[in-house]
């Protein structure tokens, strides 16, 4: 939207489109695997829908 008018994009998937959550979850699944193998000592990675929030382990 620009000046309250919709402008169709010519490339990429639109934010909020049907494919966006699918693509995000495919990537975040990969990130889960990498985090568990390499960074789990830093804390737990918590997924909220299609976002991430690292949580530190308590000492």
């Amino acid at each position: 939207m620009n000046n309250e008018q919709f402008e169709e994009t010519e490339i990429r998937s639109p934010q909020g489109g049907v494919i966006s959550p699918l693509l995000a979850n495919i990537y975040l699944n990969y990130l889960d695997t990498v985090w568990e193998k390499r960074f789990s000592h830093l804390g737990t990675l918590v997924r909220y829908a299609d976002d991430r929030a690292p949580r530190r382990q308590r000492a």
Side-chain angles (χ1 to χ4, degrees):
M1 277 196 143
N2 191 12
N3 297 326
E4 296 186 24
Q5 291 191 3
F6 177 78
E7 293 182 19
E8 191 169 334
T9 59
E10 294 180 21
I11 57 173
R12 302 185 185 165
S13 67
Q15 187 172 4
V18 176
I19 196 73
S20 296
L22 175 64
L23 294 176
N25 279 306
I26 289 171
Y27 174 76
L28 291 175
N29 237 11
Y30 170 73
L31 182 63
D32 279 341
T33 304
V34 172
W35 184 272
E36 287 298 316
K37 289 181 181 176
R38 300 181 66 193
F39 303 108
S40 61
H41 65 280
L42 297 175
T44 305
L45 194 60
V46 179
R47 185 188 295 198
Y48 295 98
D50 57 356
D51 294 328
R52 293 282 183 194
R55 298 183 69 202
R56 292 186 184 171
Q57 290 181 347
R58 295 183 182 217

